[in-house]
Amino acid sequence: MSDRDDDIDPDAPASAEEIAASKRLRDALDTAAPAGAPGGDDPEIGLALALKAAWDPNALSADESHAMLDATPSAEEQELAAALRDSLATGTSTPATTPAHATVQLAHALRSAFAPAALDPAEHDAIIQVALANMPADKELAPEAEKQASNVIAMRGRETRARVVRVAFGFVAGGLALAASIFFVVTSAPGPGSEAPLAKARTTQPLFSEPFKPGETSARIDRIASARAADFRDNQFAKWGVR
Amino acid sequence: MSRSRVALVLGSLFLALAVAFGVVPACSRHDGGADDGTPVDTEIMAFLSEARALHHEANMKEESGDLAGAVGAMDRLVGARRPHPERKGTSAPPEVEEVLADAYARLAELRLKRGELDLAAAAVKSGLEHVAEATYFRGHLVEVQGLVEEARAAQLADAGNAAEAAKAREHAIQLLEEVVKIQDQVIQRSLGKDGG
């Protein structure tokens, strides 16, 4: 093979056969052969036409459009359309036993998601029954469960009342907490006749951690004066009301 | 609503009312509780400042060898006008009392350096009147008192008065033992406070 390929000259002039194939491809693309008959038996022409249609599709001709519109729907399509129309009109859905019914259920699901309708009482009861049926069988609890199921709607009223009661007590408790806070602020704030706590005169013993040594007397008075100077400043600020 | 829930709600309301009108006022009363101590005020600070100045003045005079000048500074301090003179004894500001006790201790040390043993002992005695409890201040005063008695014993021994010198030495030892007890009490009390 390599020997043969090496014999081909890439700069050699086209043969008569190659020129003829090139003309057929150009003619086919120029005439824009309709879809469905791409290129006849020549796979290269078919591929070229498919690529052109994908890149730059032509509009359908009037004949092609009429042919598609006048096509008669199949019996299955007619059944599906009727079932979908009736189901959407009545608002009922049937179990998905067939592909057609599955399509109807899908349409119902989409409509319910977009604009959900109020739950029908009968359907609600049916849901409750299904749920109860899935519960473990207990003869003693069964009547109570049925009673609860029948009172589901009635309990909504009770829940509403309970919620109102909780909200009311929440307001009462909040009000009391607010009152307590105000009372605390009022009673703890310094009044005109009261004084903020001031640093009192007291022993300086805590300023020293070990027995005194000779010659350190002035250091002790330095420490005492510094400590009490800080107290004095605090007291002054407290009297001025800035602490 | 069940009875138990009603009871729970009523109990909560009662508790809230008790907190609002019972505990909070009690807390405010506690905050404003009685305390008879004198606030650290201008008078106390003026005295402390004066004491500080006189101590540093005594430092400089002592360093320059002017013991008489240092004694004079301390004499001025112990004789200075005291803040809140209406408060005497245990009601006097503790800082003032302790600074006076320390000033008397230094005065006694200065007198001791000058060999004025009786004046030194008198200064210690005056200082002890300002600190009745076991503190470092009282311990320091008693320590100085022991040193004075030790010096007295030496002075008596030098004078050939062996009997009086022995008495003075014995007295000095008693005083120094007392110092040990005082400092031990101070340390024990400090440790007790830390532990509590």
Side-chain angles (χ1 to χ4, degrees), chain B residues 133-153:
Chain B
E133 293 185 3
T135 61
Y136 287 145
F137 293 96
R138 185 173 180 86
H140 183 53
L141 272 167
V142 177
E143 179 188 347
V144 174
Q145 190 179 19
L147 297 179
V148 170
E149 290 306 307
E150 184 183 5
R152 189 189 304 278

Side-chain angles (χ1 to χ4, degrees), chain B residues 5 7 18 40 49 63 70 74 89 101-102 107 122 130 135 139 157 161 166 186 188-189 191 196:
Chain B
R5 188 169 292 182
V40 177
S49 176
E63 287 168 5
M74 287 299 99
D102 216 22
L107 181 59
H130 292 277
T135 61
N161 193 341
V186 174
Q188 288 294 332
R189 193 168 56 207
L191 291 175

Side-chain angles (χ1 to χ4, degrees), chain A residues 162 165-166 169 172-173 176 179-180 183-184 187-188 195 197-206 208-226 228-232 235-236 239, chain B residues 1 5 9 13 16-17 19-21 24-25 27-28 31 35-42 44-45 48-49 51-52 55-56 59 93-95 98-99 102-103 106 109 134-137 140 143 183 186-187 189 193:
Chain A
V165 169
R166 282 196 289 270
F169 277 106
V172 171
L176 280 173
F183 192 85
F184 176 76
T187 54
S188 60
E195 281 186 0
L198 301 176
K200 300 292 174 60
R202 60 198 182 280
T203 178
T204 60
Q205 180 77 19
F208 307 103
S209 58
E210 58 184 8
F212 299 159
K213 296 173 185 173
E216 293 182 350
T217 312
S218 62
R220 286 195 291 277
I221 187 64
D222 287 346
R223 183 176 293 185
I224 292 170
S226 295
R228 291 303 177 263
D231 289 344
F232 178 66
N235 286 352
Q236 289 297 107
K239 286 180 179 176
Chain B
M1 196 158 41
R5 188 169 292 182
V9 170
L13 289 174
L17 288 170
V19 168
F21 300 108
V24 170
C27 290
S28 359
D31 290 341
D35 188 347
D36 295 333
T38 304
V40 177
D41 57 9
T42 308
I44 292 176
M45 287 310 300
L48 293 178
S49 176
R52 190 179 193 182
H55 269 291
H56 280 269
N59 282 352
E95 294 94 332
E98 289 167 351
V99 166
D102 216 22
R106 187 174 189 186
E109 287 178 313
T135 61
Y136 287 145
F137 293 96
H140 183 53
E143 179 188 347
Q183 304 295 19
V186 174
I187 291 170
R189 193 168 56 207
K193 283 182 181 176

Side-chain angles (χ1 to χ4, degrees), chain A residues 169, chain B residues 3-17:
Chain A
F169 277 106
Chain B
R3 287 183 180 178
S4 60
R5 188 169 292 182
V6 169
L8 182 65
V9 170
L10 289 177
S12 302
L13 289 174
F14 182 76
L15 185 62
L17 288 170

Side-chain angles (χ1 to χ4, degrees), chain B residues 88-196:
Chain B
K88 294 179 180 177
T90 55
S91 63
E95 294 94 332
V96 175
E97 295 297 292
E98 289 167 351
V99 166
L100 284 172
D102 216 22
Y104 274 117
R106 187 174 189 186
L107 181 59
E109 287 178 313
L110 291 169
R111 296 283 190 194
L112 180 60
K113 284 183 180 177
R114 285 168 56 86
E116 301 167 345
L117 300 186
D118 289 340
L119 290 175
V124 169
K125 186 179 177 184
S126 298
L128 288 173
E129 292 175 359
H130 292 277
V131 279
E133 293 185 3
T135 61
Y136 287 145
F137 293 96
R138 185 173 180 86
H140 183 53
L141 272 167
V142 177
E143 179 188 347
V144 174
Q145 190 179 19
L147 297 179
V148 170
E149 290 306 307
E150 184 183 5
R152 189 189 304 278
Q155 198 176 60
L156 288 169
D158 290 344
N161 193 341
E164 291 299 318
K167 285 183 183 178
R169 191 178 302 110
E170 183 64 26
H171 190 204
I173 292 173
Q174 288 176 356
L175 289 169
L176 295 174
E177 282 296 321
E178 187 182 343
V179 172
V180 174
K181 288 180 183 176
I182 291 172
Q183 304 295 19
D184 189 54
Q185 287 178 30
V186 174
I187 291 170
Q188 288 294 332
R189 193 168 56 207
S190 177
L191 291 175
K193 283 182 181 176
D194 292 343

